[in-house]
Amino acid sequence: MLLLLNPDSPTPLFDQIYGFFKQAIIDGTLKFNTQLPSIRQLAKSLEVSNNTVIAAYQQLTDEGYLMNVPRKGLFVANLDTQEVNPQKKGQEPPQFTPQKTEKPRADYAFNLNQAGIDEHHFPIKAWRKCINWALDKPFLQYGVYFGEPVLKKALASYLFKSRGVKTQPEQIVIGAGTIQLMSLLATLFKNKMPEKSSKQVAFEEPGYQASRQVWLDYGYQVQPVAVDPLEGIRLDALEPLHPDLVYLTPSHHFPLGGIMPVAHRLQILQWAKERNCYLIEDDYDSEFRFRGKPIPALQALDTHERVIYAGTFSKAFLPSLRLAYLVLPPHLLPHLEALQHLGQSTSVNMQRAMAIFMEEGYWDKHLRKMRKVYKHKFEQALTSIQQIMGDKVTVTTQASGLSLLIKVHTDLSEETLVQKAREADIWMKGKSDAWLVPDNLPQYPHIAFGFGATPIDQIATVVEKLYQVWFEDHSA
Ligand SMILES: Cc1ncc(COP(=O)(O)O)c(C=O)c1O
């Protein structure tokens, strides 16, 4: 073994020595337990200072390539493990075979994702301005646990004004999306009920599968509860149960679209009080209701601290922002204290920008504009589907949100329908995953038709294309 140093190399001398020994150890030239020359010996033979050799040996020892045996010297450590020495000399590195992946959603000509938002009307100028203002006084350090007070303040006032939600800013928890906040809640309730080995969440069936999965992941038992397509979760199906929590979307059932009448809201609140259980109200898209007056949130009617209100900026504003919030009943706040290690999950600067956006009036203006934009798209989508597809489909809608649900009267499977759509360059998704129990799956496939991201003048075209691939190319 010959170690030659190159004094003209940009690599420092200690690094050259380090690299030489590291490579010799990894490829097995220097075997386990081989003793290395002493610092003085090596420094002399290489004509470098002792410190240069010390620095190289120190690094090799810190990284675990060498072991220091007191009063004897430095020896090559045992690296014969898969992790440190994955390949023997001459062996080819393992080949990575990339899995066949789907075309990315953004590459489709038409995006009917039910969570897609309108890009054309996004208030990019105002948003940029707010980000710049937020960065004017850059917040370079960690932020406040569970959300910036300025945003909580703006949210408390907005939620009261728009949804009747009664909250102090301190009850609000800000996180990186509804799903992330569900993990936080699942942890909170695990800690709150340590005596209960099996904790139960009643869940709308069908319901929001991503959230349901979080509760399952955390070991909760999920009890599916039947849903009325027009009125949301069925109280008669809930009545015999004794869950710890109920997850529901009362203002726009996901995915069937039903709206829970006020009388049901009062009944479920009473039921929750009697059962001493909590209602998680996922109010994900109530900003967009195209008919009638806004319905107050369940939380607005709650007088016994039974409701945990969940909202998001993903539908009304920007899904890529990853900003959502919970409103906790005050008596749960001490349990949150114990979760400070989970800390701040979303950008301080973006929270500040959002607060400025709300305080400066851009938010209200944006909502007013988007209500009109989405109302037109909703009407266009509904009319196109009804006119073009006729009785081959049934559209479920309560005139709100960013998507419609189409029940397709066909003997094709959901998978085939989605596949045919994708072959026609249309991204869309079936909703069978909204049902937890396979036996509960409806007879006909249900497919979401998200109109948010599709330009209004393309809506009829995309419906025609779907008609073609679903019904005309299919001889059955
Ligand atoms: C029922 C429901 N709740 C909440 C959300 C929002 O989730 P997030 O805040 O994680 O973007 C969605 C998004 O599609 C949803 O469908």
Side-chain angles (χ1 to χ4, degrees), residues 279-313:
L279 307 172
I280 302 175
E281 175 180 23
D282 179 358
D283 201 28
Y284 60 108
D285 69 357
S286 55
E287 285 86 358
F288 303 125
R289 183 160 158 68
F290 312 126
R291 221 178 271 152
K293 282 185 171 180
I295 319 133
L298 195 57
Q299 199 269 11
L301 305 168
D302 178 20
T303 47
H304 292 92
E305 300 195 7
R306 291 293 98 203
V307 177
I308 296 164
Y309 179 87
T312 178
F313 285 104

Side-chain angles (χ1 to χ4, degrees), residues 21 23 41 86 91 121 128 139 149 158 199 271 274 308-309 323 334 361 367 373 378 380-381 391 402:
F21 281 111
Q23 189 52 45
Q41 268 175 346
Q91 262 182 353
H121 294 90
R128 270 213 185 100
F139 217 76
Y158 162 68
K199 298 175 224 336
W271 174 89
E274 285 160 13
I308 296 164
Y309 179 87
L323 215 49
L367 289 181
V373 169
F378 160 75
Q380 179 67 57
D391 59 5
L402 305 183

Side-chain angles (χ1 to χ4, degrees), residues 35 43 48-49 57 68 83 98 138-139 150 160 175 188 205 225-226 233 235 246 299 383 390 393 397 418 434:
Q35 185 167 17
V48 296
S49 74
Y57 277 3
N68 192 356
E83 289 77 21
F139 217 76
V150 276
F160 181 67
L188 185 149
E205 172 83 340
V225 184
I233 199 160
L235 301 187
V246 183
Q299 199 269 11
T383 317
V393 299
T397 171
V418 169

Side-chain angles (χ1 to χ4, degrees), residues 336-361:
L336 194 64
E337 294 291 304
L339 298 181
Q340 289 203 349
H341 58 287
L342 298 176
Q344 172 204 332
S345 65
T346 192
S347 153
V348 174
N349 296 314
M350 288 299 148
Q351 291 181 61
R352 284 159 53 87
M354 194 68 227
I356 295 170
F357 192 82
M358 294 176 95
E359 280 165 1
E360 294 297 316

